[in-house]
Amino acid sequence: NDDDDRRLAGLAFMFSSSILLQILACVVYNNWWPMITTLMYVLVPMPCLFFGGGSTHFLTSRDGGGWIDAAKFLTGASAVGSIAIPAILRHANLIETGAMVIEFTSFFILVCTVLCFHRASLEDDW
């Protein structure tokens, strides 16, 4: 039980630091355009909620079907959008390079958090 508490605290810390970096990318450069990426952070789990029943197990399965394939596509598209939006904003000179790097770091930490959560949810003792 104590090990579960440490895992949960670690996931909460990782998620919080990702959100903190997201906000810092805006505050440090006094430009709030990078906050558009948070829209993608909201959209990424939606296919899991709607088509996967709240579980991430379907993402790694080889099972097909119309809704499962659609959910995999939408999850991938919104994840790619999380990387593409800061790159496009930088290319359009709407944000600084430093803000883009902070956004990428925030996304990397968020992905690591999701992967750790997925690994922990595969273990049935949670």
Side-chain angles (χ1 to χ4, degrees):
N1 193 16
D2 192 37
D3 192 38
D4 291 344
D5 293 341
R6 285 191 202 130
R7 286 184 192 176
L8 188 60
L11 287 173
F13 177 76
M14 289 173 66
F15 182 76
S16 299
S17 54
S18 174
I19 299 300
L20 176 68
L21 284 173
Q22 180 77 33
I23 294 169
L24 282 176
C26 299
V27 171
V28 168
Y29 295 97
N30 197 21
N31 184 351
W32 292 93
W33 276 105
M35 276 303 214
I36 293 176
T37 308
T38 57
L39 178 65
M40 288 295 152
Y41 291 173
V42 171
L43 291 178
V44 167
M46 291 302 160
C48 291
L49 294 174
F50 295 136
F51 303 119
S55 172
T56 60
H57 296 276
F58 77 95
L59 290 174
T60 57
S61 72
R62 294 189 182 261
D63 295 336
W67 291 112
I68 293 175
D69 289 340
K72 288 178 181 179
F73 174 77
L74 291 172
T75 301
S78 53
V80 168
S82 299
I83 296 172
I85 288 175
I88 291 169
L89 290 174
R90 176 62 197 123
H91 181 73
N93 289 323
L94 292 174
I95 64 173
E96 300 293 324
T97 304
M100 181 183 71
V101 170
I102 294 172
E103 287 285 320
F104 289 159
T105 306
S106 170
F107 179 71
F108 176 73
I109 292 172
L110 185 70
V111 166
C112 289
T113 305
V114 169
L115 290 176
C116 290
F117 175 76
H118 177 68
R119 181 170 177 242
S121 68
L122 289 178
E123 300 171 3
D124 290 331
D125 61 348
W126 267 51

